[in-house]
Amino acid sequence: MRTILSLLLSAGCLATSQAQAQDRNAPDTGDDRFALGQIVVTAPRSEGIGIDGESLSREAIYKFNRTALDDAINLMPGVVAGNSGGTRNERLVFVRGFDRFQVPLSIDGIRVYLPADNRLDYGRFLTTDISEVQVAKGYASVLDGPGAMGGAINLVTRRPTKALDIDVRGMVTFDNDADYAGYSASALIGTRHERWYAQASYARSFTDHWDLPDSFAPIVPTLEDGGERDFSRTRDWRANVKLGFTPNESDEYAISYTRQDGSKNAPLHVSDLVNTPRFWTWPKWEIESIYFLSTTALGDRATLKTRAYYNRFDSMLRSFNDRTQSTQSRPFAFDSPYFDKAWGGSAQLDFRMSDADTLRLAFHYRHDKHVEAQTSFSTAGVPSTEPRQTQTENTFSIALENELALTTALRFTVGGSFDWRDLKRAEEFGSPLGTSGTPAVLYQYPRRDADAWNLQGRFDWDAGDALTLHASLSSRARFPTIFERFSQRFNTAIPNPELKAERATNAEIGGSWTAGGVRVDGAIFYSWVDEAIFGVLTPGYPCTASTTPPATPTPGCVLTNLNQSRNVGSGEYYGAEASLSATLAPGLDLGANYTVIKRDLSYAANPGFRPTGVPTHKGLIYADWAPLAGLHVQPSVEIASSRWTLFTATPASQPARYYRTGSYVNTALRIDYAVTEKIEIGVGARNLFDEEYSLTDGFPEPGRSLYLTLRARY
């Protein structure tokens, strides 16, 4: 690690010396956000550390040492990071209570979507080359595409701002015993000129392990004995190359290539002896994307914006016999590769009909293709590989939005869209559920198309020089995934091709007040959720003798205790959020935010159900103090109340049990010192008091960790 830090320091010094010879007349925009990659958000961007209701700045990501996306946007009000727990052990994000299926994730406005199940692991997305994270909550513009039932998240990459733009960073992490625990490193180099710009960036993160808190007492030592968390190793890297052309003041064209690669292990539940442990690992998790973005002025009143892209997602999930992860010879051992592709694009035409009236029309198209072919193992020692199964579908959306200035201070925006999905192919290999004594075959599920409408409106009022207010109402739908419609979940579920879209109607009233060095943002919100998708226990499913659905029932044969995804849930999400940033004195800044969220979501078949993963109360308080020139001291405290979680160690014969877990007060401290104007070193600690807490049943969070950082810029 000392070698890595030495190389980074040398690179920073070299960059500084070389930059002195560059063209001082090259443009320096000062804004490193890739404007073509932004989505529609309504609040102005915060400066400096920059944590507000709708955006998170790259400086905040760096100062709080948040290298993964879930960890980063957990800083924002209204956004909560979580853990799926279970075998997959994925990092989650909730936006005002809505989960990863209901809040699309995009990079530069290009949707990141996994066609089979869209189970995105937010811990795999690195943030070191991100200029800004945008989060639209509730009211997410229909112009940005379908699926934003509860909001939208967009990662805006950086672009160069001057003739030579360099940013090199390195970090070494240590566990609670000050032993080496991993590292992260990133480098960005770019150049900007009057008519073009180019940039390349690379980021890498490696976690050797992380420590459980010292207070953790092993419950089942064979599952977890404390100290270094078993199976906590991860590796991720990301590369991006961007080339842009700016032929005039209004037009911009850019092509960008991104490759992201990772692997991870999955820690075990620390106490579940009812369910057999699954020893799963992901040796391969690759995302590759190439996309073209443009904006072109068509005369004085019209602008055309386009996006075109090709995405590839390949992954491998492996299941082993035992914790050694060395053999695969039992019926539950398998290799499950996914080969996914997507391509599509969008076009948006903005037409200024008058100085007070702008009309916007957008069209989106996306083709998704999912291919899988599982290899199973057995005690016979002969692996069996399924034929490839393919699912393909097209998704379309056409949207119209009108922004009208009613007065110089009052604007009204109304928009609507129509989305439709065209399922082309839905293959499965095996014996169709409920068939008796039939061989495994490759067959088609019944195909059903779907459509949905969306409608929204918003008022924005500049009530004074310092005060802005807004009110919005938005009704948005979300199509279910292939997994929700067709997965048999290891023969425990019934497919439902008729599954409809979920819907949420989101209302919000909020505002922002800025005066001097103080800014306050706040909002109250209420969401009505309809047609929510739940797994419903469905006794009495008939057996069949046919291998091609729809099948003919077999007399006297009935399957019981199977689940089926159905649109049976409804409820309300409501709450409030507020954020504050203030300069109290020269060299002393203070920030804070707070969120309260209540979720009442239920379905009649299970009165004991509780929505999991989101605390009722969540807050952040931080300060940035510069007692001396070049020295910054940044303490922070994160607070969260408990959240509902499902007790997984429950026998199948008993009803599901829920309980609350996860409350914490998590303190951090960071100290940075600028060695020169361009080189900065830092030291910090997370979970400073080594608090023990869990966000989901059986999966405790990391204890105290330490880190050293180095940053060189020009």
Side-chain angles (χ1 to χ4, degrees), residues 125-141:
F125 293 89
L126 303 180
T127 59
T128 49
D129 66 341
I130 298 300
S131 173
E132 179 184 39
V133 179
Q134 296 178 302
V135 180
K137 306 171 188 173
Y139 184 95
S141 175

Side-chain angles (χ1 to χ4, degrees), residues 309-360:
Y309 57 87
Y310 171 82
N311 294 339
R312 180 185 64 84
F313 174 71
D314 289 350
S315 67
M316 170 68 80
L317 166 61
R318 305 190 72 187
S319 174
F320 291 88
N321 289 5
D322 52 40
R323 64 185 298 121
T324 65
Q325 297 184 349
S326 58
T327 55
Q328 294 174 293
S329 61
R330 294 183 178 179
F332 55 77
F334 61 80
D335 287 346
S336 178
Y338 280 3
F339 311 97
D340 296 339
K341 296 179 181 178
W343 56 84
S346 65
Q348 178 179 324
L349 179 65
D350 298 354
F351 182 70
R352 188 164 54 87
M353 296 184 291
S354 69
D355 291 342
D357 194 1
T358 300
L359 184 68
R360 303 180 179 95

Side-chain angles (χ1 to χ4, degrees), residues 478 480-489 492-500 502 531-538 562-569:
R478 191 273 298 187
T481 64
I482 288 173
F483 177 86
E484 290 169 305
R485 284 174 278 163
F486 298 124
S487 176
Q488 296 181 18
R489 290 123 165 123
T492 65
I494 305 168
N496 185 3
E498 306 290 346
L499 195 62
K500 298 185 295 185
E502 296 182 307
E531 305 288 355
I533 297 172
F534 281 92
V536 178
L537 192 64
T538 309
L562 297 178
N563 278 284
Q564 185 179 53
S565 294
R566 294 185 179 180
N567 300 96
V568 295

Side-chain angles (χ1 to χ4, degrees), residues 39-41 53-54 95 103 134-141 150-154:
I39 63 172
V40 178
V41 293
E54 291 194 336
V95 175
V103 180
Q134 296 178 302
V135 180
K137 306 171 188 173
Y139 184 95
S141 175
I153 301 170
N154 184 43

Side-chain angles (χ1 to χ4, degrees), residues 30-34 38 41-52 54-61 130-134 156-158 514 519 521:
D31 187 349
D32 65 356
R33 291 176 295 175
F34 184 36
Q38 293 179 297
V41 293
T42 53
R45 185 195 196 196
S46 296
E47 302 300 326
I49 289 181
I51 303 173
D52 59 38
E54 291 194 336
S55 65
L56 179 70
S57 71
R58 67 180 175 92
E59 197 62 22
I61 293 171
I130 298 300
S131 173
E132 179 184 39
V133 179
Q134 296 178 302
V156 184
T157 60
R158 294 174 61 180
T514 305
R519 174 174 170 171
D521 296 275

Side-chain angles (χ1 to χ4, degrees), residues 30 83 237 247 352 475 487 515 564 594 620:
N83 185 348
W237 64 264
R352 188 164 54 87
S475 183
S487 176
Q564 185 179 53
Y594 168 74
L620 169 70

